[in-house]
Amino acid sequence: MWRLKMFVGCLLAGVPMMSCGACHYTIGYDFAPIPPFINPPDSEGHRSAGSAIDLVSQAASVLGCSIHWQPLPNMRVFHLLSNNQIDGALFYSWNPERDQLYIYPKRDGKVDSERRIATLNYVIYKKKGSTLEWNGTSFSQLSCPIGFNEGWSIGADLVSHSVMVESAKDAEQNLKKLEKGRICGYATLEEAGDSAIAHYPGALFEKLSVPLSRKEYYLLFNQTFYRNHSQQIETLWSQIGKLRDSK
């Protein structure tokens, strides 16, 4: 019965039969919350997934595939992906370094934004009373480093603009450094920053109104797994795009 339901689902979704069959993916993701895309654990430590995880799980189920999700520290995700210990990684933007190591959905040699998961803004948070400003092209009153989460692509972006940076493990560490004046600002995804500040004691920080950048986020795979399952993965990416647009 489950096979019949799977093939009917594939037909309705317009998925080629050769790409539709039982399969399994192990996918890692950074456990830093980016609600509603990746939700934080509840008071008992249980995770309620998030819309990005739900989207990929739904797309995989149409193809008759299951996913084992692994929430991990960000740098651990990249280590396991590079060593073929996980098949894919969820919710990462494109940059040239990653493009050399991992496989993104592409069309005509370029990343295919039609098969993205979401598009988000990077923003800057500062301590209230700080004179730090960002006008969309440059900073003013920047006298110390900008903090960012270790492994997040915004760090390299800031360095390319000759901005001093300093990484930390997560949002909580960055906000502590910002509170103590060890960094002048904290660069992070807007959803992640808003969530972290909402759970941080006191009303100490404010968000600069002009975004740093806007990026698209994808499901990527290690090269070996893609090479062995390329047609199936291409179909999965396409299904992600269809479902995203239908929501």
Side-chain angles (χ1 to χ4, degrees):
M1 181 61 71
W2 71 269
R3 290 183 182 274
L4 176 60
K5 289 181 179 179
M6 178 184 70
F7 287 125
V8 170
C10 288
L11 286 170
L12 292 174
V15 176
M17 286 298 102
M18 65 181 64
S19 299
C20 187
C23 60
H24 180 78
Y25 304 114
T26 298
I27 298 176
Y29 64 94
D30 185 352
F31 57 28
I34 310 173
F37 303 99
I38 298 173
N39 288 328
D42 61 22
S43 59
E44 297 180 353
H46 302 130
R47 286 189 173 268
S48 58
S51 60
I53 293 170
D54 291 342
L55 173 61
V56 175
S57 294
Q58 185 179 354
S61 70
V62 171
L63 307 182
C65 300
S66 61
I67 297 176
H68 172 57
W69 293 104
Q70 289 193 13
L72 299 160
N74 190 50
M75 299 307 292
R76 183 69 176 163
V77 174
F78 288 124
H79 174 78
L80 295 180
L81 191 63
S82 296
N83 288 280
N84 298 330
Q85 292 176 274
I86 57 175
D87 306 320
L90 177 70
F91 220 67
Y92 286 96
S93 61
W94 180 93
N95 68 26
E97 181 182 359
R98 292 174 187 168
D99 193 48
Q100 294 296 313
L101 298 171
Y102 315 117
I103 307 297
Y104 287 81
K106 291 191 175 181
R107 183 184 300 274
D108 299 326
K110 297 181 179 180
V111 180
D112 186 1
S113 63
E114 293 299 314
R115 296 191 285 178
R116 70 190 184 279
I117 292 171
T119 306
L120 282 70
N121 287 334
Y122 266 102
V123 295
I124 288 283
Y125 297 87
K126 66 178 182 178
K127 194 172 180 180
K128 287 184 176 178
S130 166
T131 56
L132 175 67
E133 293 296 338
W134 164 255
N135 64 11
T137 56
S138 62
F139 287 98
S140 59
Q141 306 299 315
L142 179 60
S143 58
C144 59
I146 296 292
F148 69 100
N149 289 10
E150 184 180 23
W152 287 33
S153 62
I154 195 64
D157 296 347
L158 290 167
V159 168
S160 71
H161 287 88
S162 302
V163 174
M164 296 181 295
V165 297
E166 186 174 311
S167 67
K169 183 181 70 173
D170 55 24
E172 183 179 6
Q173 285 192 3
N174 273 298
L175 292 177
K176 286 180 178 178
K177 289 163 68 174
L178 186 57
E179 180 182 2
K180 294 176 180 177
R182 291 174 53 193
I183 56 175
C184 288
Y186 173 37
T188 189
L189 292 171
E190 188 167 16
E191 292 80 358
D194 286 355
S195 175
I197 286 172
H199 292 88
Y200 197 87
L204 305 175
F205 312 108
E206 60 183 314
K207 178 170 52 182
L208 300 187
S209 59
V210 180
L212 266 178
S213 63
R214 188 165 175 81
K215 298 191 177 192
E216 294 164 343
Y217 286 79
Y218 297 91
L219 171 65
L220 50 148
F221 287 88
N222 73 54
Q223 295 183 14
T224 301
F225 191 80
Y226 178 82
R227 195 160 50 242
N228 293 333
H229 307 277
S230 59
Q231 188 169 22
Q232 192 177 78
I233 291 170
E234 292 288 340
T235 304
L236 175 64
W237 279 329
S238 296
Q239 190 63 27
I240 288 169
K242 290 178 184 178
L243 290 173
R244 186 201 68 244
D245 288 343
S246 69
K247 291 184 180 294

